[in-house]
Amino acid sequence: ESYESGSRGIVALVIGLLGGLPLSVGSIVGFRKWRRRRRRRCPACQTLMTLLGESHDNALLEEGQQAEERIKSVDYDVWKCGACGHHFTLRYPKWFSSYSKCTQCHNRTKSSTEKVLVAATTTSKGKARVVETCAFCSFRREYTKVLPRIQSSGSSSGGSSSGGSSSFGRGRSGGGGAS
């Protein structure tokens, strides 16, 4: 009897915790939005600053920052003081972006495509051609990448498992596709 009441208490606790999960996520998102958009004081004269709109902030961004905003890998907020003209820029990288930092210009404008040349199987490795390019500078790099052998699953039947695994491996490796 005490075991059952104890397990009911645990179930109630888990349901209570999971029930609060959407509220917690919403609170975090709301806090981050408030923190980003809250009014700021000018560090030079202590006057309240103004957040510039997207069309006006580009004049104060560097060319690489403008490229990051154009491809939506990073968003910038520019705050400007109406009293003394002081301004500063805050950087907000997108959480889910297909772009990464370029090794040449250091902006988050590098993309990568992958084309499978030889598909990996359960018995041999494969090969893929990777092309990295930057949307801002002249960076371009091509190289061949080795694809690991596909691991066969022990619980499935042999024929359908290897066909399914091979198909999955090809799709995963060639996900970027060539343009």
Side-chain angles (χ1 to χ4, degrees):
E1 190 173 348
S2 63
Y3 172 77
E4 285 181 14
S5 64
S7 64
R8 277 190 223 134
I10 292 172
V11 169
L13 176 64
V14 169
I15 289 172
L17 290 174
L18 292 178
L21 187 61
L23 180 62
S24 298
V25 171
S27 298
I28 292 169
V29 170
F31 174 73
R32 289 176 55 86
K33 189 173 184 176
W34 169 82
R35 193 179 69 181
R36 179 173 176 177
R37 300 293 183 200
R38 69 182 162 86
R39 297 294 305 255
R40 298 169 192 276
R41 292 209 174 265
C42 176
C45 69
Q46 297 302 310
T47 303
L48 284 175
M49 300 180 82
T50 304
L51 175 63
L52 299 181
E54 290 297 323
S55 58
H56 294 103
D57 70 2
N58 283 345
L60 298 173
L61 295 176
E62 297 173 8
E63 288 181 24
Q65 293 171 327
Q66 290 177 29
E68 290 173 326
E69 275 206 331
R70 187 173 50 254
I71 62 173
K72 298 182 181 353
S73 66
V74 178
D75 190 22
Y76 288 95
D77 287 349
V78 178
W79 291 84
K80 187 171 183 180
C81 178
C84 72
H86 178 79
H87 69 274
F88 61 85
T89 304
L90 298 176
R91 183 177 194 269
Y92 298 96
K94 298 292 181 175
W95 283 6
F96 304 104
S97 173
S98 59
Y99 293 92
S100 59
K101 186 176 180 181
C102 175
T103 54
Q104 185 169 302
C105 68
H106 307 290
N107 292 301
R108 192 174 181 196
T109 49
K110 183 181 79 170
S111 63
S112 177
T113 58
E114 194 172 295
K115 182 178 180 182
V116 176
L117 303 173
V118 178
T121 65
T122 55
T123 58
S124 65
K125 296 177 182 176
K127 283 197 276 185
R129 187 74 176 159
V130 179
V131 178
E132 297 175 336
T133 55
C134 180
F136 176 65
C137 71
S138 61
F139 176 78
R140 179 179 172 85
R141 183 174 96 167
E142 293 186 37
Y143 61 93
T144 303
K145 171 179 158 180
V146 176
L147 302 174
R149 282 184 3 185
I150 296 170
Q151 300 296 315
S152 61
S153 60
S155 62
S156 300
S157 64
S160 65
S161 171
S162 98
S165 295
S166 176
S167 172
F168 175 74
R170 259 189 311 248
R172 189 182 84 209
S173 299
S179 300

